[in-house]
Amino acid sequence: MIQYGKQLLSEADKQAVLSVLESDFLTQGPQIIQFEAELAQKVGAKFSVAVNSATSALHIACMALDLQPGDSLWTSPNTFVASANVAVWQGAKVDFVDIDPRTYNMSVEALEAKLEQAAKTHSLPKIVMPVHFAGQSCDMQAIYELSKKYHFKIIEDASHAIGAGYQDKMVGACEFSDITVFSFHPVKIITTAEGGVATSNNPDLVKKMQLFRSHGVTRDESLMDYDMETLSPDGGMWVYQQVALGLNYRMTEMQAALGLSQLTQLETFVDKRHQLAEVYNQALAELPLTLPYQQDFQRSSYHLYPIKLAEHLNRKTVFDKLREKGIGVNVHYIPVHTQPYYQKLGFKIGDFPNAEAYYQKAISIPLHPGLTEEDQQNVITNIKESLI
Ligand SMILES: *Cc1c(COP(=O)(O)O)cnc(C)c1O
């Protein structure tokens, strides 16, 4: 099976993991600190906080921005369920903003219209979470301008988009957001097996996220509460305080070492994805498909290459034909609000028609840096045959 997405590991990547196993620290050691520093530098953010998944990163981002029962978070229906789930965990209300039918990203016009309505009923969101679908950045400046008018915070779910650009900066620089989150799951751009990171330029948010990823416990005296009587009034080296309620979302040293090694290949991986996408753009141009439309203020990381079938084509038929031929196609995404869990929360089919219409015709075809020319030609041939 030619997979739709897959990790590409070098000898250096494997050695990096092995050498950690020979070292003193398997967790909470020097690799994490270095990974956080190099990642922040790479994307142009002041800080980064590495954790055991992007889901965890999204969760501590919501916690740091104080998302609580009674608050709401709005995201895109065209995303993985985790984007919405983290807000539900905080007891907040989740709502969605329909997508732009060209980019499949949250529509800025739909966001503006929904905000205008919400302002009238005093139900504005505390957080808006745009998702950079397939690696293409949303129009963050436009969303940021709306945040000034309607006073919401912004978390970018950039799980697909490490290595992508927006205007003259990298996604993750947080020029137009409070926090940006990347995923390192093996199908994403670079991997740590499981893993994720939150970047930010705000030291207060970063301190909070560091606390929340590790039980709410600190050894940093500046974060400690000296008004409380503690059991260690003599302040010995063993002293730590729990000053908040956190979780254990820590990344291991092996993962951080793999991440550091993978990070050195980020540009190579993204360039390779662009080359492969260009081949698809040429080879599939004349077929009854809509190819991924690219806005010119951004440079995609091409996490996915979603094709949208013409109206007369049946998605299941085409999908099954491709799978039978060993082409590991996939579908991104079943709109989150149509999942049984979210329907039980009150959402209905028909609530976000653009996301639903896109989903009905979408197929993600194989795209990853290890895809050979031969395999790609095989994908192209089979797509052509499957549309007849
Ligand atoms: C992969 C993904 C996540 C979750 O990432 P994990 O690292 O697997 O937790 C969240 N949002 C989007 C859009 C994703 O694609």
Side-chain angles (χ1 to χ4, degrees):
M1 189 72 84
I2 303 174
Q3 290 169 258
Y4 85 90
K6 193 181 173 210
Q7 72 277 13
L8 183 60
L9 297 182
S10 67
E11 270 315 305
D13 291 339
K14 295 171 197 168
Q15 282 311 315
V17 174
L18 286 176
S19 59
V20 170
L21 294 172
E22 306 283 338
S23 78
D24 287 339
F25 295 96
L26 299 186
T27 188
Q28 294 174 284
Q31 299 290 328
I32 282 284
I33 292 166
Q34 197 185 340
F35 180 49
E36 289 178 334
E38 292 195 14
L39 187 134
Q41 198 196 12
K42 181 80 96 181
V43 302
K46 287 203 183 114
F47 310 102
S48 91
V49 180
V51 287
N52 58 2
S53 73
T55 305
S56 302
L58 292 168
H59 190 194
I60 58 172
C62 287
M63 292 169 82
L65 291 169
D66 202 25
L67 188 70
Q68 291 188 25
D71 297 331
S72 17
L73 176 145
W74 294 0
T75 188
S76 170
N78 184 32
T79 186
F80 186 56
V81 292
S83 314
N85 287 349
V86 293
V88 179
W89 269 115
Q90 285 308 101
K93 188 175 175 309
V94 172
D95 205 349
F96 302 93
V97 179
D98 207 355
I99 61 169
D100 177 329
R102 290 182 312 165
T103 62
Y104 320 135
N105 274 334
M106 177 188 282
S107 156
V108 176
E109 291 72 33
L111 175 62
E112 185 166 17
K114 197 176 171 97
L115 288 164
E116 226 171 88
Q117 276 310 110
K120 288 180 195 154
T121 55
H122 305 286
S123 54
L124 285 165
K126 185 177 238 175
I127 299 175
V128 172
M129 183 190 288
V131 180
H132 303 321
F133 179 72
Q136 169 161 229
S137 178
C138 299
D139 190 354
M140 291 311 302
Q141 186 168 3
I143 295 171
Y144 177 77
E145 277 158 18
L146 290 172
S147 79
K148 293 294 117 191
K149 184 167 174 197
Y150 293 102
H151 309 292
F152 55 83
K153 303 289 183 188
I154 302 174
I155 301 172
E156 295 174 67
D157 183 346
S159 291
H160 298 183
I162 193 163
Y166 174 70
Q167 295 182 352
D168 57 352
K169 295 204 166 63
M170 300 283 284
V171 170
C174 296
E175 187 178 12
F176 299 113
S177 65
D178 298 281
I179 297 168
T180 300
V181 167
F182 297 118
S183 172
F184 306 126
H185 181 278
V187 297
K188 308 287 165 74
I189 309 288
I190 59 171
T191 192
T192 62
E194 296 284 357
V197 74
T199 66
S200 182
N201 297 322
N202 180 330
D204 292 333
L205 292 178
V206 168
K207 277 186 183 154
K208 285 181 183 163
M209 290 194 287
Q210 286 168 337
L211 271 179
F212 292 136
R213 85 166 152 194
S214 197
H215 310 284
V217 159
T218 185
R219 289 179 188 276
D220 177 348
E221 286 199 23
S222 71
L223 299 178
M224 289 187 183
D225 191 340
Y226 287 106
D227 293 338
M228 299 285 174
E229 259 185 64
T230 72
L231 293 173
S232 308
D234 49 349
M237 285 287 284
W238 65 87
V239 170
Y240 61 85
Q241 284 188 354
Q242 184 189 348
V243 294
L245 183 62
L247 300 119
N248 181 352
Y249 279 168
R250 294 189 300 257
M251 177 182 268
T252 68
E253 287 284 286
M254 289 79 81
Q255 291 169 304
L258 180 55
L260 269 167
S261 185
Q262 285 263 299
L263 198 57
T264 64
Q265 299 156 89
L266 179 62
E267 290 84 359
T268 322
F269 286 171
V270 173
D271 287 349
K272 177 74 190 187
R273 286 173 178 274
H274 272 260
Q275 285 166 21
L276 292 164
E278 200 43 51
V279 172
Y280 281 141
N281 290 343
Q282 300 292 328
L284 307 177
E286 305 303 324
L287 300 176
L289 302 170
T290 306
L291 303 183
Y293 169 79
Q294 298 296 304
Q295 290 192 290
D296 55 16
F297 52 64
Q298 60 82 42
R299 181 175 188 262
S300 181
S301 60
Y302 272 116
H303 165 53
L304 299 172
Y305 194 95
I307 57 175
K308 191 174 139 229
L309 304 182
E311 216 38 58
H312 69 278
L313 293 166
N314 181 291
R315 195 261 309 274
K316 184 172 179 344
T317 312
V318 175
F319 187 96
D320 289 349
K321 276 191 198 171
L322 288 168
R323 276 284 176 98
E324 270 166 35
K325 298 286 184 178
I327 313 299
V329 285
N330 216 315
V331 171
H332 300 92
Y333 284 100
I334 301 169
V336 177
H337 68 282
T338 68
Q339 294 288 355
Y341 179 83
Y342 282 89
Q343 291 204 43
K344 279 180 203 145
L345 292 184
F347 293 99
K348 292 184 301 298
I349 309 272
D351 281 350
F352 302 99
N354 291 343
E356 293 170 33
Y358 162 68
Y359 160 66
Q360 292 298 336
K361 296 291 174 183
I363 298 182
S364 300
I365 65 176
L367 181 66
H368 56 83
L371 189 68
T372 64
E373 205 175 306
E374 194 189 339
D375 281 350
Q376 190 178 28
Q377 286 309 321
N378 183 358
V379 173
I380 291 165
T381 308
N382 278 293
I383 290 174
K384 288 180 177 165
E385 285 172 4
S386 72
L387 298 181
I388 301 165

